[in-house]
């Protein structure tokens, strides 16, 4: 079977697009696998949120070209510029040309429809892109300039895609986009789209929302979770900072108090829900007091996971020219302190849940022989088993902290 490698850098949207292409290419009879000497085509969906991501995309292309001179290289996404051809790409598709990428590769004879998909193979999680673009213009973010304002996929197309994934044995569906709370098509918003998916996608086992903004959390949306346990009670809500001053400079449209109030609402209505977040450290003007505010936010919010990012200025954004740059050594120090603190908070969040029953989708066998997967609350769960658990959903009791999650046993 011919192999194609489909890779991405950056956001969940890029991941969702790669999944969709991988699905189509698998249906055409290709094996999707990491690059090696047997790969015939390498597709890279690039990111340019930071200048580091830009450079990484170019490095990847150069590396593949040098190591595997025979492979056709196709580059798309936010860094898909003519420079990529200089780095070794054969074809470059801009963001606006992405939609016709597969059709164009077929037309050019680079790929062909080979054999039907093996429908019996068990798969785990599938990301479904429901919208693209964002009009929020956070001062550090290039996305609104690169991806434009919000464009949503039609509900019929979303439902059709989900039903197709369900028919292909995917256990969990994740709704993704640049900013899924902005979903708007044919009179539906995120709430009504989710409600319609739950109603119309009969074989659906789990549905997860990838990430929402605090101002998109409301009683109506949470009531859907109360009424349908196929919805995973896990919310990824980027906080970015615990300091009101920094939130304002970032143009995040909420305060710390507003953010924490939304978390309280979630916990009132869904006591077992978990929250994960992203925080940027070393944003221009961030003082040690502002940083302390981020540390205390992590404790107060009791995040299950905190992704810590060091601010890196992106050309073309407002923050690129903001005064008050934080020294690199201080940024690194703050990143280290916050990661350590967040890990301790996460441990205590998981520890509180030992003895609880959770439903786990097992995804893989680790090198140490344990099976691992995620609960609906996004707790990573490890378990030993004599039978293959890959792709299965099982009820598990959590027994103890382990690695980045917890160990458990089958109930
Ligand atoms: S919400 Fe802010 S960070 Fe997120 S995509 Fe929009 S502008 Fe960028």
């Amino acid at each position: 079977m011919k192999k194609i490698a489909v890779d991405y850098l950056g956001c969940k949207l890029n991941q969702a697009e790669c999944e969709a292409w991988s699905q189509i290419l698998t249906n055409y009879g290709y094996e999707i696998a990491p690059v090696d000497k047997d790969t015939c085509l390498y597709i890279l969906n690039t990111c340019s949120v930071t200048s580091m991501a830009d450079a990484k995309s170019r490095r990847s292309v150069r590396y593949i070209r040098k190591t595997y001179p025979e492979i056709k290289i196709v580059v798309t996404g936010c860094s898909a510029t003519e420079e990529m051809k200089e780095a070794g790409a054969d074809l470059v598709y801009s963001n606006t040309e992405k939609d016709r990428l597969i059709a164009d590769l077929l037309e050019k004879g680079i790929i062909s429809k080979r054999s039907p998909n093996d429908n019996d193979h068990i798969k785990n999680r599938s990301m479904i892109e429901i919208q693209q673009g964002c009009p929020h213009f956070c001062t550090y973010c290039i996305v609104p300039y690169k991806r434009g304002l919000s464009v949503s996929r039609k509900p019929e197309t979303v439902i059709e895609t989900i039903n197709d994934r369900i028919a292909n044995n995917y256990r969990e569906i994740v709704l993704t986009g640049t900013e899924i709370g902005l979903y708007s098509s044919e009179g539906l918003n995120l709430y009504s789209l989710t409600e319609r998916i739950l109603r119309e996608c009969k074989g659906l086992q789990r549905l997860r929302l990838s990430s929402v903004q605090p101002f998109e959390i409301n009683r109506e949306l949470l009531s859907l979770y109360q009424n349908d346990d196929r919805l995973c009670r896990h919310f990824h809500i980027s906080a970015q900072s615990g300091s009101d001053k920094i939130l304002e400079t970032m143009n995040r449209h909420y305060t710390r108090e507003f953010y924490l109030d939304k978390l309280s609402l979630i916990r009132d209505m869904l006591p077992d829900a978990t929250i994960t977040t992203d925080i940027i450290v070393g944003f221009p003007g961030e003082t040690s007091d502002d940083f302390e505010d981020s540390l205390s936010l992590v404790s107060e919010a009791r995040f299950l996971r905190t992704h810590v990012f060091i601010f890196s200025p992106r050309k073309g954004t407002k923050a690129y020219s903001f005064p008050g740059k934080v020294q690199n050594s201080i940024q690194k120090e703050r990143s280290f302190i916050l990661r350590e603190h967040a890990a301790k908070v996460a441990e205590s969040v998981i520890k509180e849940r030992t003895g609880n029953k959770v439903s786990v989708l097992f995804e893989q066998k680790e090198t140490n022989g344990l099976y691992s997967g995620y609960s609906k609350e996004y707790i990573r769960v490890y378990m030993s088993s004599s039978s293959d658990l890959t792709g299965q959903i099982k009820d598990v009791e959590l027994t103890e902290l382990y690695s980045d999650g917890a160990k458990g046993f089958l109930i």
Side-chain angles (χ1 to χ4, degrees), residues 66-104:
K66 196 168 161 221
T67 321
Y68 307 103
E70 301 301 317
I71 293 178
K72 274 250 177 285
I73 302 178
V74 172
V75 175
T76 185
C78 295
S79 285
T81 59
E82 286 302 302
E83 269 181 60
M84 284 297 176
K85 287 199 173 159
E86 286 160 32
D90 296 291
L91 289 168
V92 171
Y93 293 86
S94 68
N95 273 329
T96 52
E97 297 168 324
K98 259 182 185 177
D99 284 352
R100 61 178 181 80
L101 186 142
I102 296 288
D104 202 59

Side-chain angles (χ1 to χ4, degrees), residues 133-138 140-144 178-179 213 240 252:
C134 176
H136 290 323
F137 289 93
C138 299
Y140 53 84
C141 179
I142 195 76
V143 166
T178 321
E179 226 289 55
Q213 297 279 356
Q240 304 301 17
R252 288 293 292 171

Side-chain angles (χ1 to χ4, degrees), residues 190-219:
L190 180 62
Y191 163 80
S192 36
L193 175 75
T194 308
E195 197 262 330
R196 191 164 156 191
I197 292 169
L198 291 168
R199 193 162 16 92
E200 292 186 21
C201 298
K202 297 291 178 217
L204 180 68
Q205 297 184 55
R206 282 180 168 205
L207 182 65
R208 194 181 292 277
L209 303 188
S210 60
S211 171
V212 285
Q213 297 279 356
F215 35 82
E216 292 149 6
I217 297 291
N218 54 49
R219 287 186 177 276

